[in-house]
Amino acid sequence: MGDLTNSDYYAKTQRNDGSSNHEGGFGVSVMELRGLMELRGGEAVVKIQEDYGDMDGLCQRLKTSPTEGLTGDVTDLDKRKEVYGENLIPPKKPKTFLQLVWEALQDVTLIILEVAALISLGLSFYQPPGGDSGESCGTAAAGAEDEGEAEAGWIEGAAILLSVVCVVLVTAFNDWSKEKQFRGLQSRIEQEQKFQVVRGAEVIQLPVADIVVGDIAQIKYGDLLPADGVLIQGNDLKIDESSLTGESDHVKKDADRDPMLLSGTHVMEGSGRMLVTAVGVNSQTGIIFTLLGAGEEGEEEKEKEKKVKKQDGAAAMEMQPLKSAEGGEMEEKEKKKANVSKKEKSVLQGKLTKLAVQIGKAGLVMSAITVIILVLYFAVDNFVLQKRPWLTECTPIYVQYFVKFFIIGVTVLVVAVPEGLPLAVTISLAYSVKKMMKDNNLVRHLDACETMGNATAICSDKTGTLTTNRMTAVACYVGDVHYKEIPDPGLLSVKSLDILVNAISLNSAYTTKILPATKEGGLPMQVGNKTECGLLGLVLDLKRDYQPVRNQIPEEKLYKVYTFNSVRKSMSTVIKLPDGSFRMYSKGASEIVLKKCTKILNQEGEPRVFRPRDKDEMVKKVIEPMACDGLRTICVAFRDFPADPEPLWDNESDILNELTAVCVVGIEDPVRPEVPAAIVRCQRAGITVRMVTGGSATRRERLSRSAWTRCGLNCEFLARSSPTDKHTLVKGIIDSCLTEQRQVVAVTGDGTNDGPALKKADVGFAMGIAGTDVAKEASDIILTDDNFSSIVKAVMWGRNVYDSISKFLQFQLTVNVVAVIVAFTGACITQDSPLKAVQMLWVNLIMDTFASLALATSL
């Protein structure tokens, strides 16, 4: 990280110095903020206190409010972009058409043709002394020409050059259109990446590129930070800074001890609010990207890689991995580029590379034999049978014959090598990717498209993918009574109701809310975590409102928050009561939270002892029946702590214990209507579908009996799984030796901890709606609608790539083999190729381009 403190370098390269910023009316310059972001821990806290007094002072200098954010005024936003820069790192300039033409000209076969054509063209104008070349210098069938052809001998060389020009222009145009398509896909990925910021006291979702210095950003578990900032308020916040520092340990962030948050780092636990202080090239990620040589050096390296790749005709098919050029992804983009040559080829690329090499070798052998036979025929016929002497003045004529033989040989090689194959693969993949985008599959890596065609196993999350992800509370157990539907609030004691409402309202992310329906007669809009939305819906169904409770205790006044993670499987929030004592509200998976309960509220709302046998009875009579109805069970509980002595909040095992259960809520998440049919299609296509769920086994049994068996399905289930279990499952399937061929596994994931499984899988699907930025970053395809049927469509388009390529191969190899055999046998029997070099080149040109275009885009 020593390079990051190199402020002098940037002082010279940036014109945004302090004076120009103060002219913008802000009390702090770009360079001052960059200097601040280079500090860590206590140093940063001291610097903020010395220069700005406190965080409020820094906010005042940046003309923003720590609670209400920026006003959102367009003029103000434009001024901030002008003074502090925009939150994007300028992508490298695309290659010009002329550069692509020059690259296409580097092809070895084309260079050989060009040289041969130029020699042929030069020699066609030479006439030996004496005029009658045919009598004195000998003849060959390959050189037998009528008078008209002899006069227009230059045409062949010129026509070969012209066809080479056409091949180069077509190749360059295809590369140019491919690059344009990549750029379009890249910008689409960038637009998909959004972040929550506070503007005008409202939390809104903004594209990452629209974030400016002075914005107040809401950060939460699973986010990839899009800009540098200073933490204003945080709850149990832990950051993975390994992408910048290389340290794998999670760093605990606190507004009082270490408030510095850096772009490109991942939020692994907790939530909070940060003041954005540096964006784009001024952020720590932007600085690293600039130091890594976003300019000329990077380009030169890329050029060298391409030249190496070009030498291997088949390797030209290798697809570059596509990465978004936005904020935190830049350093990873550079790392990927450095390792791109090491990347393992996809299944299709491997097969086609092998095929192209075999065809190339066969073509080389055939062309060499053709040239040798033609040269031997000419030499034997003229110098042995007709016993002609080698005349010095005839040497250019002999050379002309040999050049023609050589051109015929090279042409046989050109026709034999399927140059249209990489083009067909690219067009087919690009076409399928375009169609997949319409089917809610945003492809981040092109090769993932064809890999899906090989998929033999799909491991899918249940929540949101196989189900609608619209959670609704439909049953509850409260006050010793099991209600099969939401009860009238009059049936519950006021004390129990108050505790329940407070527990749900305060112990949920404040960004989670239920908004009125956008359309008349529509369902209310659920924003944020869907399980929490289901619980907030329960509060509304009980004729109470969660917002006044939150207004009374705003998020910054929450004393301590234990955020949900895959280890805890619960979330707890501590508040300070008016008398100085503390109350902790807790919620989570019923079997996890109930184990920690020693009391439960009775019908009057008073706590009574909750013995182990009571727990067993509740599991049998309440939780299992709910689970058997396909409901997700959440337990809500609380615990009171004395003011003195204050508990040791970091000692979780003691704090998250001895709870008092308030209620158990049954939340329904209906199966998507189109899913059963989609699973049937998968199974008919030979793909095994495995449902991976965090839900309990009894719930799984009920699900398997209802939604799945209703369609005659026999799905495999992994219940109450952790992300580690999912990774183990994927690794186990891939490494399995039970089948002759290796299994190709696709996996869906939405959480931060799903990253390892998504990366391990052949194709990783991230949820576009419910997925975290970390999951999206680790994925190959993003499901923009979080729907299982979209995965089935991805398989369909992947298989379409294979069908298209097989059609093209069948067509091209037929023509190639026929052309090679005709040229070879003609050379052997008649001492000439029935197909002239120009004819074969034109057939090859038309066949390679238009045929690949037509066949690669057929359905």
Side-chain angles (χ1 to χ4, degrees), residues 747-775:
V747 169
T748 68
D750 55 3
T752 299
N753 290 320
D754 287 331
L758 289 168
K759 277 199 177 294
K760 181 67 184 169
D762 296 288
V763 181
F765 285 88
M767 305 294 110
I769 300 166
T772 62
D773 289 341
V774 181

Side-chain angles (χ1 to χ4, degrees), residues 89-348:
I89 294 163
K92 290 177 185 174
K93 286 183 181 177
K95 285 195 172 120
T96 62
F97 187 72
L98 286 175
Q99 284 175 312
L100 292 170
V101 166
W102 177 250
E103 274 182 18
L105 278 167
Q106 307 305 307
D107 187 78
V108 179
T109 334
L110 287 181
I111 290 169
I112 294 169
L113 268 178
E114 289 160 20
V115 172
L118 285 170
I119 295 170
S120 172
L121 193 62
L123 291 172
S124 66
F125 295 108
Y126 176 81
Q127 289 293 329
D132 193 357
S133 62
E135 291 298 321
S136 58
C137 297
T139 57
E145 296 167 335
D146 60 30
E147 198 176 331
E149 274 188 46
E151 288 175 6
W154 59 272
I155 290 176
E156 184 168 20
I160 291 171
L161 283 177
L162 183 63
S163 65
V164 166
V165 168
C166 288
V167 169
V168 165
L169 288 175
V170 168
T171 308
F173 176 76
N174 281 314
D175 285 344
W176 177 79
S177 59
K178 182 174 74 177
E179 188 152 330
K180 191 181 173 187
Q181 221 158 11
F182 281 1
R183 296 256 170 190
L185 190 55
Q186 211 169 4
S187 64
R188 171 77 190 267
I189 289 171
E190 287 166 13
Q191 286 162 15
E192 289 287 322
Q193 196 181 357
K194 295 192 174 180
F195 210 81
Q196 284 190 331
V197 297
V198 181
R199 282 197 184 165
E202 286 188 8
V203 179
I204 58 169
Q205 288 263 359
L206 269 186
V208 165
D210 292 346
I211 292 173
V212 295
V213 170
D215 262 324
I216 304 299
Q218 293 265 21
I219 57 176
K220 62 183 185 305
Y221 160 80
D223 282 345
L224 179 72
L225 297 185
D228 290 356
V230 182
L231 187 66
I232 298 173
Q233 174 265 326
N235 302 318
D236 197 25
L237 194 63
K238 287 182 184 172
I239 305 287
D240 175 9
E241 293 185 346
S242 59
S243 58
L244 285 178
T245 64
E247 293 292 332
S248 56
D249 291 341
H250 297 167
V251 181
K252 195 166 184 180
K253 294 291 178 179
D254 189 279
D256 300 324
R257 287 191 288 273
D258 184 7
M260 312 313 280
L261 300 171
L262 306 176
S263 58
T265 58
H266 297 142
V267 182
M268 302 309 288
E269 277 187 39
S271 60
R273 280 181 298 121
M274 78 168 184
L275 168 67
V276 176
T277 53
V279 294
V281 291
N282 295 308
S283 67
Q284 294 299 302
T285 301
I287 291 170
I288 290 177
F289 181 72
T290 313
L291 284 172
L292 281 171
E296 316 259 323
E297 289 172 16
E299 283 291 339
E300 283 170 15
E301 283 298 312
K302 203 170 165 190
E303 289 296 325
K304 284 177 190 169
E305 274 184 21
K306 283 216 169 183
K307 281 181 185 174
V308 172
K309 282 182 190 172
K310 284 274 180 186
Q311 298 305 315
D312 178 7
M317 287 177 276
E318 187 164 327
M319 302 299 162
Q320 297 286 340
L322 185 69
K323 298 287 290 178
S324 170
E326 197 64 65
E329 299 185 8
M330 299 318 299
E331 80 286 358
E332 290 184 21
K333 182 178 178 181
E334 285 302 309
K335 287 177 194 168
K336 289 256 174 149
K337 277 192 180 174
N339 296 328
V340 74
S341 55
K342 296 177 190 172
K343 192 184 176 204
E344 194 180 329
K345 282 193 177 81
S346 65
V347 182
L348 180 63

Side-chain angles (χ1 to χ4, degrees), residues 95 98 157 175-176 237 299 315 319 351 367 375 411 498 517 549-550 629:
K95 285 195 172 120
L98 286 175
D175 285 344
W176 177 79
L237 194 63
E299 283 291 339
M319 302 299 162
K351 287 178 181 175
S367 65
V375 170
T411 308
D498 285 342
V549 180
R550 288 180 171 181
D629 287 331

